Amino acid sequence: MKKIKIETELEVYDSVSSLPSELKDLMHKAQKARENAYAPYSLFKVGAALLLETGEVIIGNNQENAAFPSGLCAERVAVYHAGATYPGKTIKALALTARSLNHEVRTPTPPCGACRQALAEYEVKQQTPISVYFMGETGNVVKAASVKDLLPLIFDSSYL
Ligand code: THU
């Protein structure tokens, strides 16, 4: 038996204002998108903004449903919109932010497992890393240089 160690290196920025300007703008767009989330059940609003190679920005926010599993996370709303509207255009970065109507979210909120898998599909397809910047409502912003850093042992089409 041998052991395999999986390590991930993430970068932590103090706040949105310490991000490089392109990413600061992207996070501001995610914050704006977050406010239009439809989250009457969880009261947890999430906003996502994707930066394409062309400079275009695609936004998404969580869309909930009375039949709970029918809802969709902000990241997948954004990435599927990008796939549908800008097929073949490389996604450079994702900015993600969450806010609760119940309490202040200071802890950076990472993409859920299902969204990591959905994002991984596009990262593998485009053969270029998507950097992921995530935060709560206030406080630190965490950067993962690639979706792979958030999803070790990634499952992709090579296993099929
Ligand atoms: N949510 C997202 O939009 N993205 C995530 O990565 C985690 C969770 C949404 C789904 C649901 O509408 C609410 O947050 C509470 O889970």
Side-chain angles (χ1 to χ4, degrees), residues 39 42 44 46 61-64 72-75 96 109-112 115:
S42 70
F44 191 77
V46 184
N61 42 41
N62 50 328
Q63 297 295 320
E64 297 186 349
L72 199 60
C73 292
E75 301 90 311
L96 187 62
T109 311
C112 78
C115 287

Side-chain angles (χ1 to χ4, degrees), residues 72-90:
L72 199 60
C73 292
E75 301 90 311
R76 276 176 286 166
V77 169
V79 82
Y80 293 151
H81 184 192
T85 318
Y86 301 93
K89 285 197 184 164
T90 297

Side-chain angles (χ1 to χ4, degrees), residues 6 19 22-25 42 45-46 50 53 58 63 69 83 86 94 96 98 110 116 121 127 129 136 141 146 150:
I6 299 171
L19 290 173
E22 194 178 42
L23 277 310
K24 206 188 295 179
D25 290 351
S42 70
K45 293 181 160 215
V46 184
L50 291 171
E53 60 184 340
I58 310 301
Q63 297 295 320
Y86 301 93
L94 162 67
L96 187 62
R116 293 178 203 198
E121 180 74 24
Q127 296 182 314
V141 183
S146 161
L150 294 174

Side-chain angles (χ1 to χ4, degrees), residues 43-44 98-106 137:
L43 304 179
F44 191 77
R99 177 167 93 83
S100 169
L101 302 184
N102 290 321
H103 60 97
E104 193 183 349
V105 180
R106 290 200 197 102
E137 183 183 358

